Structure formats: C-alpha cells, structure tokens
Amino acid sequence: MRLIYIDKESLTPIYQQIVESIEDAIISKRLFRNDRLPSVNKICLEHNISRDTVFLAYEKLKQKGIIKSIPAKGYYVKREEFSYDKNYFVLFDELNSFKEDLLSGFLKPFDNKAQVDIYFHHFNFSVFRKQIMDNMGNYSKYIIMPGNLEGVEEVIAKLPEKDVYIIDQMRDSLRQYSGIYQNFIEDIYNSFESSRHIIEKYNHYILIFPGDKEPSDMVKGFTKYCEQFEKKFAVIPSSNDFKLEKGQLFLIPNDRQLVETVEKCKLQGLKLGKDIGIISYNETPLKKVVEEGITTLSTDFSEMGRRLSEMVIKNEKIQIENPATLRIRKSI
C-alpha cells in the first residue's frame, strides 16, 4: 500500500508533502494507531530524496503529536485524531491537591485546543528517566517538575533546550532552561521576617523536614532566618520522638506531620496560637477551618499554571519566581 506521494514539480516543500501524505493516510483510514510507518531509508530510496528531508517531515509529525518514535524500532502512528497544532509533555513528581490546581491553571487557557499528556515519576529516578527517554522527540514542549531528584540534569539535557520548561523547583544546574518556580529560601525568610512581631513570642523554632520529597531550600531559608535573628532552632525528620513544649513554633511542609503535631498538642492540652505555633506549607481549603484556622505559607499554584501556559503559548524564554503568601490565622 502506497502511503507517500511526492510531486517534485510542486511548489509545496517535499517534507510538507510527506507530512500531508501521512495525515491523509490516517484520515482515509489507511493508517491506524500503532501502525508502523515506512522507514526513513525506505522513503529516501523510493523517492530519491535526502534523509534530512524525511527526518524533518517525521519531526514535524512528532511535534504535532501524530506519530511517535521508538528507539531501534522505528516510527509509529500515535493518534488518529490530530486537530491540535501543539502537543505538550508534562512530567509531575506526584498528584495532589496543589498539583491539581497547577494543572487546572495550565490547561484552562488552551480551552481544549492543545494535546497535553501528563506523566508522573513519583520521586523515582528510573521512572523519571524512562518517561523522558520514551517520549523524547514526540512533543513540541516538555514541561518538567524534577522535584528533589538527583541526577536529572543529564537526562533533561537530551531534550532540545528551547523546548524545556522547569516548574516548581529550580536549581542552579538547570538555570539554562526557562521555567516558573518557587524561591523557598526567600519565601520562608521574608515571611518570617514580615510576621516577626507575631512569632517573636516563641523561643524555639522547629522545622519538621522528612526530606524524602521536600525541597532542600526550605532548610536553607529556615536556617537563614533563625541564624540571622539568633533564634534557637532545630530541623527534625518527624514529630514522633520530639517532645512538645510551650514556646515552640513549627514550620511543617508535610500534611501528615501537621496532623500528628496537632493531635499531640490536643493530647498534651497545649493551645495552638498561645502555647504552640504552627505554620503549614501549602494552602488547602481545610486549613482555613481546622483548629479555627491553620496559618499557611503557600504559593498560588493556579496562577503558576496559568502563567506557565502563557509562557508556553508565547514561547517565552524567561525564568519567573512565583511568590508565596503567608496567610496568618489562629495557629500562631
């Protein structure tokens, strides 16, 4: 079955004729999802054209999300519906309520006019590497949330730099890429400093930091403030073996640790906002009402997603800090 039609007398570039031939074969039901396409060498020999021309055509089809490449196997039809001009690869660390807000903010401006495929690495480097390697070259943009994984630089470097956007956590070794992220060091320091008149009543500052998912810059921001203002402080992995005492102020990034700390306060008869202070990372609706309100330090994930979509649509090559806000409630 002949799939590729090329007219060398036509004003339409040959690579575009290849693109249109493949699209037409899919529309006319001569090609279906997961069907293998003719090899680059086969097209070159049949039509006496250069490999670069065929590679360019297949690259255009990959960027549109119509076909995919599988290393050492060839090119295959990825989808039979291709009304989208752009398709985006989104790799998150995990899905939670904050990431749902980010994703919703990102998708809304597209109004169903782009193909967005979402993947997760779950803080596993092998999964991270596989997701990128399996999808390399198949998307027009790559939106990556590396989290605190080590060694991601070498993997991300295999993608075209101009097509990569880093989100949520940035590090010095990824500064060549565009992105939108939180500045945990400055966010914590500035929030503590702006509320100093409130938190000054506490004499022992404690960061509960499990460290398996949380950004290491949280420790740097917390430590920076405590050292500059000469506060007694500690960084601990869990509240389980830590004795609660009056005068302690907790910064808690992990919601499980938040619940455990609140429960311990109740068991010991300690009053939040008076005996013990708590600042929780990341805003959720529930924190507005639990224990008459938990103070939160949080970025606006919906705005982060919205601004990210704007960057991608406009092809902006910039780095943006998405600021955090301290919402003061009765827990301090």
Side-chain angles (χ1 to χ4, degrees), residues 126-323:
S126 295
V127 176
F128 179 93
R129 186 179 188 281
K130 178 174 173 52
Q131 297 286 28
I132 290 181
M133 297 303 291
D134 285 354
N135 290 286
M136 189 165 55
N138 292 334
Y139 292 87
S140 53
K141 298 294 180 186
Y142 295 82
I143 297 152
I144 299 172
M145 183 182 291
N148 59 4
L149 284 177
E150 296 295 329
V152 299
E153 292 83 357
E154 184 178 349
V155 180
I156 298 175
K158 296 181 181 297
L159 300 170
E161 183 178 314
K162 63 181 178 60
D163 295 332
V164 173
Y165 290 83
I166 304 297
I167 53 173
D168 196 37
Q169 294 188 43
M170 182 63 77
R171 59 188 78 170
D172 289 342
S173 55
L174 296 175
R175 291 286 177 183
Q176 68 269 39
Y177 301 107
S178 300
I180 183 166
Y181 58 94
Q182 301 185 64
N183 187 332
F184 295 97
I185 297 175
E186 294 305 312
D187 287 344
I188 292 175
Y189 179 88
N190 292 335
S191 295
F192 273 45
E193 186 179 39
S194 67
S195 61
R196 190 179 172 197
H197 61 291
I198 299 175
I199 64 176
E200 196 62 23
K201 62 186 177 185
Y202 300 104
N203 54 43
H204 190 185
Y205 293 24
I206 302 162
L207 169 62
I208 301 181
F209 190 79
D212 52 345
K213 299 179 180 180
E214 296 76 18
S216 60
D217 279 352
M218 286 184 172
V219 177
K220 296 176 183 177
F222 176 77
T223 303
K224 177 182 176 181
Y225 177 86
C226 293
E227 289 180 342
Q228 181 159 333
F229 290 95
E230 299 180 338
K231 298 296 180 183
K232 179 184 177 183
F233 71 96
V235 178
I236 60 174
S238 168
S239 62
N240 290 338
D241 302 319
F242 196 82
K243 183 179 179 181
L244 264 63
E245 297 177 347
K246 289 184 178 181
Q248 293 172 335
L249 172 69
F250 289 89
L251 175 61
I252 309 178
N254 182 289
D255 282 353
R256 183 182 296 275
Q257 296 290 340
L258 170 64
V259 172
E260 291 177 357
T261 305
V262 171
E263 287 178 341
K264 288 182 73 172
C265 284
K266 286 185 174 182
L267 288 173
Q268 294 183 214
L270 297 170
K271 178 70 175 176
L272 279 184
K274 180 180 178 183
D275 302 321
I276 297 288
I278 289 181
I279 300 174
S280 173
Y281 230 97
N282 296 324
E283 174 77 349
T284 65
L286 198 58
K287 292 174 186 177
K288 299 176 184 178
V289 295
V290 170
E291 294 298 304
E292 300 184 274
I294 300 293
T295 297
T296 61
L297 175 56
S298 180
T299 197
D300 186 333
F301 287 97
S302 294
E303 173 59 20
M304 180 183 285
R306 186 205 66 77
R307 186 64 183 90
L308 173 64
S309 67
E310 189 176 85
M311 292 169 63
V312 170
I313 291 170
K314 294 181 179 179
N315 203 32
E316 292 180 310
K317 302 304 174 189
I318 55 176
Q319 293 182 355
I320 300 174
E321 290 183 10
N322 207 59

Side-chain angles (χ1 to χ4, degrees), residues 10-23:
S10 172
L11 295 178
T12 302
I14 291 176
Y15 82 87
Q16 184 62 33
Q17 293 185 51
I18 297 173
V19 169
E20 292 173 358
S21 293
I22 298 297
E23 291 177 341

